[in-house]
Amino acid sequence: MSELAELYQQVILDASRRRHGEGELDPFDCEHYEKNPSCGDELRVRLRLSGSGEDAVIDAIGWVGDGCSISMASTSIAVEQLRGRSIAEAGEAIATMREMMRSRGKLSYDEDSREAELLGDAVAFEGAAKYVMRVKCAMLAWVAVEAALREHMSQKLSLIHI
């Protein structure tokens, strides 16, 4: 195993133990439940936002759930990477994560790139992208946050009357 692969493995193991953001978040502005039916990982995320529109900032992310070390590590890292970002910037980070995971391990980012800055420790999942069954595990939290934000934004838009 290469030094980089060993480092990434250690990042994933450490993040699965840390579990940043684990626990109920109350009050919250939006939430979403996501389940990976192929392995049973499940997660409910709640977000607290400040501001409005795509400039609103994710102030806090809380979650409850259980799953494999990859999904729990990715959840912990997603909390760290998305908290404090605007909805627009969070969307960019989620899209970058999705692009990396869909590459099947063929895509890696230079440590000084915008993509690496958006993903932070989530770049450690580039190796997991090679395994189709692990992609859903690594994306679970990112997809849940994206869905919560999308639902929140659509509710806000439906309140606007012309």
Side-chain angles (χ1 to χ4, degrees), residues 19-26 28 30-36 40-47 60-68 71-73 75-76 79 140-142 144-145:
R19 294 184 173 216
H20 290 286
E22 184 176 31
E24 294 287 345
L25 178 66
D26 198 26
F28 62 94
C30 54
E31 71 178 333
H32 184 78
Y33 172 81
E34 194 70 35
K35 183 172 183 162
N36 181 350
D41 295 353
E42 58 185 331
L43 181 68
R44 180 172 44 88
V45 297
R46 289 180 169 176
L47 289 78
I61 303 174
W63 61 273
V64 292
D66 197 26
C68 68
S71 68
M72 297 295 96
T75 301
S76 181
V79 167
L140 189 69
W142 301 80
V145 169

Side-chain angles (χ1 to χ4, degrees), residues 14-134:
D14 289 346
S16 71
R17 290 184 196 116
R18 283 189 314 234
R19 294 184 173 216
H20 290 286
E22 184 176 31
E24 294 287 345
L25 178 66
D26 198 26
F28 62 94
D29 296 301
C30 54
E31 71 178 333
H32 184 78
Y33 172 81
E34 194 70 35
K35 183 172 183 162
N36 181 350
S38 60
C39 68
D41 295 353
E42 58 185 331
L43 181 68
R44 180 172 44 88
V45 297
R46 289 180 169 176
L47 289 78
R48 187 177 309 130
L49 307 169
S50 62
S52 62
E54 288 196 350
D55 293 330
V57 172
I58 301 170
D59 288 331
I61 303 174
W63 61 273
V64 292
D66 197 26
C68 68
S69 61
I70 290 176
S71 68
M72 297 295 96
S74 188
T75 301
S76 181
I77 291 170
V79 167
E80 289 297 297
Q81 286 306 117
L82 300 175
R83 186 177 47 217
R85 293 190 184 268
S86 69
I87 290 176
E89 198 172 35
E92 186 182 359
I94 293 164
T96 301
M97 179 69 168
R98 181 175 284 116
E99 178 183 38
M100 181 181 74
M101 296 308 295
R102 286 183 175 166
S103 79
R104 301 292 188 247
K106 295 182 177 105
L107 187 59
S108 62
Y109 299 114
D110 179 88
E111 64 184 49
D112 297 324
S113 68
R114 170 76 174 148
E115 293 86 358
E117 186 268 325
L118 286 167
L119 295 179
D121 284 346
V123 298
F125 295 102
E126 83 179 23
K130 295 175 187 175
Y131 305 99
V132 175
M133 294 302 292
R134 293 297 178 210

